[in-house]
Amino acid sequence: MILAVTMNPSVDISYPIQDLKLDHVNRVENVYKTAGGKGLNVARIVKQMGEDVMATGVLGGTIGDFIIQELKKSDIGNNFFKINQESRNCIAILHDGKQTEILESGPTLSAEEGAAFLEKYRELLFEITLVTISGSLPKGLESGFYQMMVEIGQEKGIPVIVDTSGKSLKQVLNHKVKPFAIKPNIAELSQLFGIEVERSNSSLKRVLINEMFDGIEWVVVSLGESGAFVKHGGDYYRVTIPAIDVVNPVGSGDATVAGLAVALKRKQSVSDVLKTAMTTGLLNTIEAGTGYIDIAKFGPFFELVEIKKID
Ligand code: ATP
């Protein structure tokens, strides 16, 4: 089974308001509420790919209860660490062709709650083959928290895929125990080095050759519509995808992580791992729902992904 971790999940609320008036009462008829958070998107796609998955992380209050109900509706097993605080709402107001977002930062965890979660995580690994960790940490937990989760995974011989950014990503990369795979996008990679990383093969290879990435089996730099640039061991690959009509690209990175996790769990060949990860990513962009793919389209798109080894 794959374990998908979301440390700061949310209920994502979308308010379509044709003509938003500031400093006025705005009424909304059609409210959409979904269980959000990057790891929950990963869990949904893994499930749609036909693999067993369990969602974990930290949640609480009535918002936490809603998230669990939504996961149950999708038949996704869950085992979260419960806290005595409300999980967060994240609101997107869709108006005048624009999207204005109001994101709560969520609960603040104590060191004791962090330690208790790690204990639960350690126990959950008993029935797990591979772990994905996605998104940001809740307030109160130190930025080295993910690094501890990677270490616990390694102690038990379980590969861990980390998809995070900023300080958490830096800590994970600077530690001697490395994750099995990471999936930064170009903005996260640029932030890591404090430079604008270009999308060319030579520029990306120059960056990924940095010793910070030594020991990470798979570094998948996702490039949106341009596919990905990948370091696998000492080899580099450019992955290209077909042009498609994008409906909603939100969560494509999470869908890519899900595809990667499924393919690695199935011990697929290098080329099939990359094709699977790209296919789930692009399938998410052609659906309106976030963290949703039409599995019937997997085969035809898989065949259209191209892999080129870079010298
Ligand atoms: P997010 O933060 O929205 O989850 P991300 O920035 O982490 O996304 P991207 O690099 O945008 O990740 O996309 C991940 C993958 O999804 C790409 O490698 C590609 O396979 C697919 N994808 C994303 N955007 C597009 C697009 N416009 N057209 C085709 N495929 C896309």
Side-chain angles (χ1 to χ4, degrees), residues 271-291:
S271 129
D272 283 4
V273 165
L274 298 178
K275 284 182 165 188
T276 302
M278 285 299 99
T279 307
T280 47
L282 77 84
L283 286 181
N284 179 77
T285 71
I286 56 175
E287 302 295 328
T290 297

Side-chain angles (χ1 to χ4, degrees), residues 47-287:
K47 178 81 188 176
Q48 288 161 67
M49 288 286 287
E51 289 293 334
D52 279 345
V53 64
M54 180 181 288
T56 190
V58 177
L59 49 68
T62 52
I63 296 175
D65 290 342
F66 178 85
I67 292 171
I68 290 177
Q69 276 170 31
E70 289 294 292
L71 288 171
K72 280 189 181 151
K73 274 192 215 160
S74 309
D75 202 21
I76 293 173
N78 69 84
N79 197 335
F80 282 83
F81 179 73
K82 308 266 173 47
I83 51 171
N84 284 328
Q85 296 173 67
E86 278 289 337
S87 288
R88 60 192 180 137
N89 282 319
C90 290
I91 298 169
I93 306 171
L94 313 173
H95 60 100
D96 314 301
K98 299 185 180 114
Q99 179 162 330
T100 299
E101 297 192 14
I102 299 165
L103 308 181
E104 295 180 19
S105 58
T108 301
L109 267 61
S110 66
E112 290 72 29
E113 286 170 327
F117 170 77
L118 284 183
E119 207 40 55
K120 180 185 240 339
Y121 169 73
R122 198 184 281 277
E123 283 162 18
L124 286 176
L125 290 187
F126 177 66
E127 47 181 344
I128 295 300
T129 327
L130 186 143
V131 175
T132 67
I133 301 175
S134 308
S136 57
L137 283 165
K139 282 179 294 176
L141 297 186
E142 45 178 312
S143 54
F145 198 80
Y146 285 154
Q147 165 200 313
M148 291 192 266
M149 293 176 70
V150 170
E151 249 186 283
I152 295 171
Q154 208 213 31
E155 273 168 31
K156 300 199 178 260
I158 299 170
V160 181
I161 304 176
V162 179
D163 180 16
T164 187
S165 55
K167 260 188 175 174
S168 293
L169 178 60
K170 204 168 215 166
Q171 286 262 36
V172 163
L173 295 179
N174 283 331
H175 194 248
K176 59 181 189 308
V177 178
K178 303 286 184 176
F180 190 69
I182 57 170
K183 193 224 67 66
N185 60 25
I186 195 95
E188 288 158 352
L189 200 63
S190 298
Q191 189 192 26
L192 190 65
F193 288 94
I195 52 164
E196 192 76 24
V197 178
E198 287 171 27
R199 289 162 170 253
S200 67
N201 292 341
S202 55
S203 158
L204 283 158
K205 191 173 170 185
R206 217 175 311 124
V207 168
L208 295 193
I209 224 151
N210 189 296
E211 61 179 14
M212 195 188 274
F213 300 103
D214 288 355
I216 305 176
E217 200 68 23
W218 296 88
V219 181
V220 178
V221 181
S222 66
L223 302 166
E225 74 283 358
S226 309
F229 188 85
V230 178
K231 176 175 188 272
H232 171 52
D235 297 332
Y236 295 82
Y237 300 89
R238 186 84 190 194
V239 192
T240 48
I241 55 176
I244 46 164
D245 289 328
V246 174
V247 178
N248 172 19
V250 179
S252 306
D254 307 330
T256 303
V257 169
L260 189 61
V262 167
L264 291 174
K265 186 194 165 234
R266 291 178 182 166
K267 300 198 181 307
Q268 291 181 343
S269 65
V270 170
S271 129
D272 283 4
V273 165
L274 298 178
K275 284 182 165 188
T276 302
M278 285 299 99
T279 307
T280 47
L282 77 84
L283 286 181
N284 179 77
T285 71
I286 56 175
E287 302 295 328

